[in-house]
Amino acid sequence: GAGVSQSPRYKVAKRGQDVALRCDPISGHVSLFWYQQALGQGPEFLTYFQNEAQLDKSGLPSDRFFAERPEGSVSTLKIQRTQQEDSAVYLCASSFQEGFQRTEAFFGQGTRLTVV
Amino acid sequence: KQEVTQIPAALSVPEGENLVLNCSFTDSAIYNLQWFRQDPGKGLTSLLLIQSSQREQTSGRLNASLDKSSGRSTLYIAASQPGDSATYLCAVRRIGNKLVFGAGTILRVKS
């Protein structure tokens, strides 16, 4: 596709429910990132993949959060036993690795998760 | 730890005015700096990318500068229009390839 695609756009989950958020990056983009954006704040880093390898997961807030990218393309962010504090917009970004200086990130529309 | 600060937090200007948004960062060891625009309920749109070896980049009415040694970047918007109303975010790419964002500047251009 022409851009980064995320689904669903909106998700309402009951507290304790598991959710899965999908990201389809720009074709050919090696790097994929997940960010979490709380209301009125800038995005916060969650995790980073290069191809299928998860190189950095230091931003995942708890072991309830899990991300995968098994074939180096589509990625899924899974949140188990959702809590109200998980309510946020989850943004996915991808980039074509051209050397770190020239690497430009392109973001999807995000998934707005509301836990009730 | 890298921290990014954006000033002002919000800005309201009349149409046609030139304006400057500021971004500062604490650690000068960055690969590049990217300015984004975010419309309400939407994702981030990349506006400009400045590599750490560059001083400025221009795109249409937008001009971004970078002074890495002092940890500052500015985004200059010329002849502002109501359609420029959005939240503007700056982010620095640091070692490990992750982006660190500021909280953003909310811009409103009044017609």
Side-chain angles (χ1 to χ4, degrees):
Chain A
V4 178
S5 178
Q6 292 188 246
S7 62
R9 288 292 316 279
Y10 304 93
K11 177 69 178 178
V12 179
K14 292 184 178 179
R15 191 160 56 97
Q17 186 179 355
D18 297 349
V19 298
L21 312 180
R22 176 188 168 104
C23 173
D24 204 335
I26 294 172
S27 179
H29 278 197
V30 169
S31 300
L32 185 145
F33 306 81
W34 284 98
Y35 289 84
Q36 180 190 57
Q37 186 176 25
L39 192 63
Q41 301 294 317
E44 296 276 345
F45 171 81
L46 292 177
T47 187
Y48 159 49
F49 290 86
Q50 190 158 315
N51 295 306
E52 68 278 4
Q54 190 174 20
L55 298 187
D56 189 341
K57 55 181 180 180
S58 62
L60 296 176
S62 77
D63 59 7
R64 296 185 296 104
F65 287 71
F66 173 76
E68 61 183 6
R69 194 186 185 198
E71 297 178 358
S73 178
V74 171
S75 177
T76 304
L77 177 66
K78 297 179 179 177
I79 309 174
Q80 297 177 323
R81 304 180 304 281
T82 52
Q83 304 294 316
Q84 283 193 316
E85 61 262 30
D86 300 335
S87 296
V89 175
Y90 291 85
L91 295 163
C92 176
S94 70
S95 59
F96 180 74
Q97 204 68 24
E98 300 177 82
F100 289 135
Q101 279 208 41
R102 291 192 297 275
T103 297
E104 184 173 4
F106 296 90
F107 280 78
Q109 295 289 299
T111 294
R112 180 176 298 276
L113 173 65
T114 303
V115 181
V116 298
Chain B
K1 178 188 172 188
Q2 177 71 274
E3 293 183 0
V4 179
T5 303
Q6 291 189 245
I7 294 174
L11 182 62
S12 183
V13 301
E15 182 177 4
E17 194 162 296
N18 302 325
L19 57 99
V20 174
L21 308 182
N22 296 290
C23 173
S24 62
F25 47 96
T26 54
D27 186 348
S28 62
I30 64 169
Y31 290 122
N32 60 38
L33 183 145
Q34 211 167 340
W35 282 94
F36 295 90
R37 168 188 173 134
Q38 187 172 33
D39 293 284
K42 300 291 179 66
L44 279 62
T45 300
S46 180
L47 297 173
L48 289 164
L49 179 141
I50 311 176
Q51 298 177 35
S52 61
S53 57
Q54 297 175 327
R55 299 285 291 183
E56 67 177 337
Q57 283 288 330
T58 298
S59 176
R61 294 182 294 109
L62 305 180
N63 175 277
S65 67
L66 174 64
D67 184 343
K68 202 174 79 157
S69 60
S70 68
R72 294 178 188 277
S73 176
T74 60
L75 179 67
Y76 176 84
I77 302 177
S80 58
Q81 303 170 358
D84 294 331
S85 298
T87 297
Y88 290 80
L89 294 156
C90 74
V92 296
R93 183 178 301 278
R94 57 191 301 266
I95 294 170
N97 208 19
K98 64 179 72 169
L99 286 172
V100 180
F101 283 84
T105 294
I106 301 171
L107 173 64
R108 180 182 170 219
V109 181
K110 298 172 288 187
S111 57

